[in-house]
């Protein structure tokens, strides 16, 4: 079994799956091309039915099933599979969409022009021939090719215990590289990389970076990052489309479009409104229409990550060298091809020299005969038969057998004066050629010059421009670099819809204004949260069940002032039984910061910020809750801040942060404030001594009070009055620290938003009911409020200004 398996393995490796280093072909491809050449199907001849070609190949050289032969033939004719197709097809030979070719009885084929270069001089004893499977025919072991097909068209195959995957290259670059190596056999790889810059795929596209190319060319293995080529087109004032014109090598275009459409339908890519294929005979054109105000760069980055618009080509430069499989770098492959070419030229020159000397021998006989023409004519006339005449020529004039036979067979017209001169001219030309052949065989320099000349002829005839562009790989596209740094207002509805809008969208208004519509909502879906943050902040999302999720603010859609936004379930993987209760923008997860968490019924805990730096997609535990309790607030502190708690019934407590020791994520916490029956906490702030506290009620009343007006009550107490609660004011809905130059944004449940300057809000004592800040419509209530920082810089040591300080 061991011997049989090894025999089988070697048969697959040598005789089926791997290309030869010299002509870059596997046996099936070589047999197809050789058979077509024998049939006379040259590039300047008419095509013939593929069924006839396949039948000829199967019957003479490759008895392995017609499917294997026709599939290989088809691939050699596909311009999207081979960089330089070796067969010219007539009919349906498949498409880049994965459509199958027509049956072989319908299609026709002939050799392409460049395929002729592979078999040029095949009849000049340049290569060894071997018997076919039944020893009734002879087939070449390899082709005397002048083009390095292994690099030009690449190869892929799986053998036993090994595989090859060689990328295609540009002919112009490879031929220049070969010429440079012939001129300078000690050329280095960096020098060669100036000429052969990298693979050149038939479908074009982009190659990202050169490290994979360098690895491949150095040690024979490397991962080459391919990417589709795309650009953007304007559709209107605020709409754009992405147009894909080239895709990575071996990617099925139809499947790519299907995959993109599926991602759009599954909401994994939210920003594409339409996907269509506008490809035609002129070229590829896949159009992705984007929704209003979408960033095409961000959508493209998502497509690169989730689809085959970006792929890795795992290059393995494995080929058969002297009957053994070997992994080779670029210089080794070029060196072996030059050696192959030198051997072919030597064998061809030997063959031509022998032919020339044979002809010279005959012509020398003719010349000698012309010098003794009368005597030879007389001898031939006197002879009884041709044999006697030939023997006489050999005996009397010392001609060889072949010379004597040629003289006897010489036509009388060759004895005219003009024809005699042609014989002399031909002799001179043959002798010149013999001298040339001897010079080639006798001088390595002349041999190499001839090789360079032939390489240059191929370059001049078939050279073309690169299709694949090589660009620098800056790593994964950083979406942050594509998103403008700006403060945005993130709004969240009771139904769970998030959106962001630039704070500049809302014009500053005076106290008591009507505000403007900030979000389009249905009657049953009202706004519950307003968060002010930078687009580059991380957004930690705390839920009622004490879990925390991680999200970038720029991933929240910019839906405009009246847009509904996107449901939070499309942004994070919430569990079925939890609701989002608190949001916290964070710039960096530093070791000297803490998160202070407070529950609805007065429990507080403090945990280091670094414990939340790497949440999982399913969320992580932020704190352990009592039964029926829920998390209402999470703030960042510096370890030395003041904690300010406010309840719905207008009570407040203030104490130092150090009164709450640091705990792990899964700890319960300690009592923060003792609450009356039916009362609960609505705000928990991290502040310093200089803070101004703004309290806002559900009917639109508000007041500013200095923090120092609240005595240091300590933890676990009932606290002091924060705001006088009456039927006129309604219950307290928000309490936050502000600065004199801060702006305050207030949002109602029906979606009204107003932005006012904090300095225009009257300062009052603790027990005052405040002044009217927003004129709330009948049946509407204030839902939330937030302070807008005066600049993009959120100072972590200064807890004033925004409830979202980091």
């Amino acid at each position: 079994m061991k011997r049989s398996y090894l025999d089988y393995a070697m048969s697959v490796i040598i005789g089926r799956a791997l290309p030869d280093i010299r002509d870059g072909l596997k046996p099936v491809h070589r047999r197809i091309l050789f058979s077509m050449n024998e049939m006379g199907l040259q590039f300047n001849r008419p095509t013939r039915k593929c069924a006839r070609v396949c039948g000829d190949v199967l019957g003479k050289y490759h008895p392995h099933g017609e499917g294997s032969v026709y599939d290989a033939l088809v691939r050699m004719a596909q311009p999207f599979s081979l960089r330089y197709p070796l067969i010219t097809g007539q009919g349906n030979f498949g498409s880049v969409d994965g459509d199958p070719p027509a049956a072989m009885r319908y299609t026709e084929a002939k050799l392409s022009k460049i395929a002729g270069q592979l078999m040029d001089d095949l009849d000049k004893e340049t290569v060894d021939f071997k018997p076919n499977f039944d020893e009734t025919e002879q087939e070449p072991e390899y082709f005397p090719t002048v083009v390095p097909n292994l690099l030009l068209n690449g190869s892929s195959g799986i053998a036993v215990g090994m595989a090859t995957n060689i990328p295609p290259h540009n002919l112009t670059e490879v031929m220049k590289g070969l010429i440079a190596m012939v001129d300078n056999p000690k050329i280095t790889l960096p020098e060669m990389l100036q000429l052969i810059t990298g693979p050149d795929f038939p479908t074009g596209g982009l190659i990202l970076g050169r490290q994979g190319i360098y690895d491949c060319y150095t040690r024979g293995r490397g991962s080459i990052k391919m990417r589709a080529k795309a650009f953007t087109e304007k559709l209107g004032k605020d709409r754009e489309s992405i147009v894909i014109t080239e895709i990575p090598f071996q990617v099925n275009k139809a499947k790519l479009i299907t995959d993109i459409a599926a991602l759009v339908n599954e909401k994994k890519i939210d920003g594409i409104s339409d996907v269509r294929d506008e490809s035609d005979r002129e070229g590829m054109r896949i159009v992705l229409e984007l929704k209003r105000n979408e960033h095409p760069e961000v959508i493209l980055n998502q497509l690169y990550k989730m689809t085959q618009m970006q792929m890795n080509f795992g290059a393995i430069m494995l080929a058969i060298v002297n009957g053994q499989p070997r992994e080779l770098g670029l210089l080794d492959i070029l060196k072996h091809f030059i050696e192959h070419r030198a051997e072919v030229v030597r064998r061809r020159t030997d063959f031509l020299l022998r032919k020339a000397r044979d002809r010279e021998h005959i012509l020398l006989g003719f010349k000698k005969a012309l010098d003794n023409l009368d005597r030879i004519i007389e001898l031939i006339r006197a002879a009884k038969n041709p044999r006697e005449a030939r023997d006489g020529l050999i005996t009397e004039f010392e001609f060889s057998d072949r010379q004597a036979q040629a003289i006897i067979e010489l036509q009388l017209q060759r004895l005219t004066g003009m024809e005699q001169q042609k014989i002399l001219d031909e002799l001179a030309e043959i002798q010149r050629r013999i001298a040339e052949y001897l010079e080639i065989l006798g001088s390595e320099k002349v041999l190499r010059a001839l090789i360079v000349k032939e390489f240059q002829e191929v370059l001049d005839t078939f050279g073309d421009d690169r299709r694949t562009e090589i660009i620098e790989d800056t790593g994964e596209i950083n979406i942050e670099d594509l998103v403008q740094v700006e403060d945005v207002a993130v709004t969240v509805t009771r139904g769970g819809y998030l959106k962001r809008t630039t704070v500049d969208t809302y014009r500053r208004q005076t106290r008591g204004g009507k505000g403007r519509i900030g979000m389009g909502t249905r009657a049953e879906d009202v706004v519950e949260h307003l968060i002010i943050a930078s687009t580059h902040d991380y957004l930690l999302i705390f839920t009622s069940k004490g879990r925390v999720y991680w999200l970038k603010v720029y991933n929240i859609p910019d839906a405009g002032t009246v847009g509904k936004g996107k449901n939070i379930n499309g942004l994070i993987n919430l569990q079925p039984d939890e609701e989002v209760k608190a949001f916290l923008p964070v710039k960096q997860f530093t070791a000297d910061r803490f998160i202070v968490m407070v529950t609805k019924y007065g429990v507080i805990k403090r945990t280091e910020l670094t414990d939340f730096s790497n949440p999982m997609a399913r969320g992580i535990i932020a704190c352990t809750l009592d039964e029926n309790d829920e998390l209402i607030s999470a703030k960042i502190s510096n370890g030395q801040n003041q904690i300010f708690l406010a309840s719905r019934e207008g009570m407040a407590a203030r104490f130092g942060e150090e009164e709450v020791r640091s705990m792990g994520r899964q700890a319960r916490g300690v009592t923060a404030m003792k609450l009356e029956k039916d009362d609960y906490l609505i705000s928990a702030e991290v502040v310093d001594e200089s803070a101004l506290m703004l309290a806002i009620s559900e009917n639109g009343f508000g007041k500013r009070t200095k923090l120092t007006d609240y005595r240091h009550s300590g933890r676990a107490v009932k606290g002091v009055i924060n705001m006088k609660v009456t039927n006129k004011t309604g219950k307290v809905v928000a309490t936050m620290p502000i600065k004199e130059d801060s702006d305050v944004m207030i949002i109602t449940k029906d979606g009204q938003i107003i932005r006012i300057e904090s300095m225009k809000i009257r300062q009052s004592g603790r027990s005052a009911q405040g002044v009217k800040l927003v004129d709330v419509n009948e049946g509407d209530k204030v839902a939330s409020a937030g302070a807008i920082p005066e600049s993009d810089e959120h100072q972590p040591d200064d807890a004033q200004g925004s409830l979202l300080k980091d």
Side-chain angles (χ1 to χ4, degrees), residues 30-180:
R30 189 179 300 114
R31 288 163 178 168
I32 291 169
L33 297 176
F34 178 65
S35 182
M36 293 178 72
N37 187 63
E38 292 293 287
M39 293 171 66
L41 300 181
Q42 311 302 330
F43 75 94
N44 54 358
R45 301 280 183 88
T47 56
R48 301 285 283 275
K49 286 288 185 183
C50 290
R52 181 165 180 184
V53 175
C54 292
D56 202 58
V57 174
L58 288 166
K60 291 182 177 179
Y61 310 112
H62 196 78
H64 293 292
E66 59 186 35
S68 62
V69 174
Y70 187 52
D71 288 348
L73 186 153
V74 164
R75 188 176 180 278
M76 286 194 287
Q78 292 174 333
F80 52 87
S81 293
L82 264 65
R83 181 64 177 82
Y84 299 93
L86 301 176
I87 291 176
T88 302
Q90 177 71 33
N92 173 18
F93 277 79
S95 74
V96 74
D97 287 322
D99 300 318
M104 67 176 75
R105 61 182 178 274
Y106 299 119
T107 54
E108 298 182 357
K110 62 180 178 180
L111 295 171
S112 67
K113 187 174 182 180
I114 199 169
Q117 300 295 310
L118 269 71
M119 293 173 281
D120 197 24
D121 299 328
L122 190 59
D123 57 346
K124 296 176 181 175
E125 298 181 6
T126 50
V127 298
D128 296 329
F129 279 71
K130 63 181 179 181
N132 69 338
F133 62 91
D134 62 0
E135 299 187 354
T136 59
E137 301 280 345
Q138 293 286 313
E139 61 175 314
E141 294 184 4
Y142 56 94
F143 283 155
T145 175
V146 70
V147 294
N149 182 63
L150 184 67
L151 285 175
L152 299 188
N153 282 320
S155 184
S156 63
I158 301 173
V160 178
M162 61 189 69
T164 185
N165 199 27
I166 302 173
H169 289 73
N170 179 262
L171 183 141
T172 300
E173 292 185 354
V174 174
M175 299 314 294
K176 287 182 178 178
L178 285 169
I179 291 171

Side-chain angles (χ1 to χ4, degrees), residues 25 98 212 320 429 557:
L25 295 172
I320 302 297
E429 174 64 20

Side-chain angles (χ1 to χ4, degrees), residues 694-731:
L694 172 65
I696 299 173
S697 70
E698 60 186 2
N699 289 339
F701 286 80
K703 70 178 184 68
R704 292 189 301 164
T705 305
K706 292 182 179 179
L707 182 69
T708 52
D709 287 354
Y710 299 88
R711 65 179 173 82
H712 197 285
S713 60
R715 183 175 62 80
V717 298
K718 290 184 178 181
V720 297
I721 294 175
N722 174 36
M723 183 178 189
K724 189 173 181 179
V725 174
T726 66
N727 291 333
K728 180 181 177 182
T729 63
K731 306 295 185 182

Side-chain angles (χ1 to χ4, degrees), residues 387-590:
R387 181 179 181 80
E388 184 179 323
R390 187 184 64 195
D391 292 341
L393 290 172
I394 293 171
T395 303
E396 188 169 340
F397 297 98
E398 297 183 349
F399 288 116
S400 68
D401 287 349
R402 290 173 51 239
Q403 286 178 327
Q405 186 64 36
I407 291 170
I408 291 172
E409 294 173 356
L410 192 68
Q411 295 178 338
L412 288 175
Q413 69 179 23
R414 300 297 302 275
L415 301 180
T416 63
M418 184 179 295
E419 289 298 320
Q420 288 184 30
Q421 187 59 44
K422 283 184 179 180
I423 290 172
L424 297 177
D425 292 344
E426 184 182 359
L427 176 60
E429 174 64 20
I430 287 292
Q431 289 175 336
R432 185 193 65 78
R433 287 185 193 173
I434 290 172
E436 183 180 303
Y437 298 149
L438 290 171
E439 187 179 15
I440 292 171
L441 294 173
S443 170
E444 187 71 17
K445 183 178 179 181
V446 175
L447 176 68
R448 288 183 170 271
L450 178 58
I451 292 172
V452 168
K453 179 185 175 184
E454 292 179 351
F455 285 164
Q456 188 63 49
E457 289 172 355
V458 171
L459 175 59
D460 295 340
T461 305
F462 299 101
D464 60 355
D465 296 329
R466 282 189 67 88
R467 297 181 187 174
T468 302
E469 183 182 351
I470 302 175
I471 61 175
E472 293 304 316
D473 183 11
T474 55
E476 288 292 329
I477 288 182
N478 190 348
I479 300 179
E480 274 188 24
D481 296 337
L482 309 175
V483 178
Q484 181 180 352
V485 180
E486 58 182 347
D487 283 322
V488 293
V490 179
T491 52
V492 188
T493 71
R494 182 175 298 166
Y497 284 90
L498 280 78
K499 73 162 189 176
R500 62 181 167 91
T501 311
T502 59
V503 293
D504 294 336
T505 302
Y506 307 105
R507 58 185 175 86
R508 182 176 289 168
Q509 299 184 8
T510 58
R511 183 170 56 81
K514 289 288 289 184
R516 65 171 293 169
I517 296 297
M519 173 174 278
T521 61
R522 299 186 296 272
E524 69 276 9
D525 193 14
V526 296
V527 174
E528 282 199 332
H529 298 281
L530 169 67
I531 309 105
I532 309 301
S534 166
T535 49
H536 283 210
D537 284 353
Y538 302 95
L539 192 62
L540 295 183
I541 302 174
F542 294 82
T543 71
S544 58
K545 297 297 182 181
R547 299 181 71 83
V548 62
Y549 297 84
W550 187 94
L551 182 67
K552 274 287 192 178
V553 172
Y554 56 69
N555 285 328
I556 300 170
D558 184 352
T561 56
V562 295
K564 186 170 66 171
K566 184 173 182 177
N567 194 283
I568 194 167
N569 289 309
L571 298 170
I572 60 174
N573 298 320
L574 285 175
Q575 295 181 358
D577 58 345
E578 63 184 345
E579 299 176 14
V580 174
K581 290 295 181 180
F583 299 84
L584 185 63
V586 178
K587 269 188 168 54
Q588 292 180 334
F589 293 87
T590 55

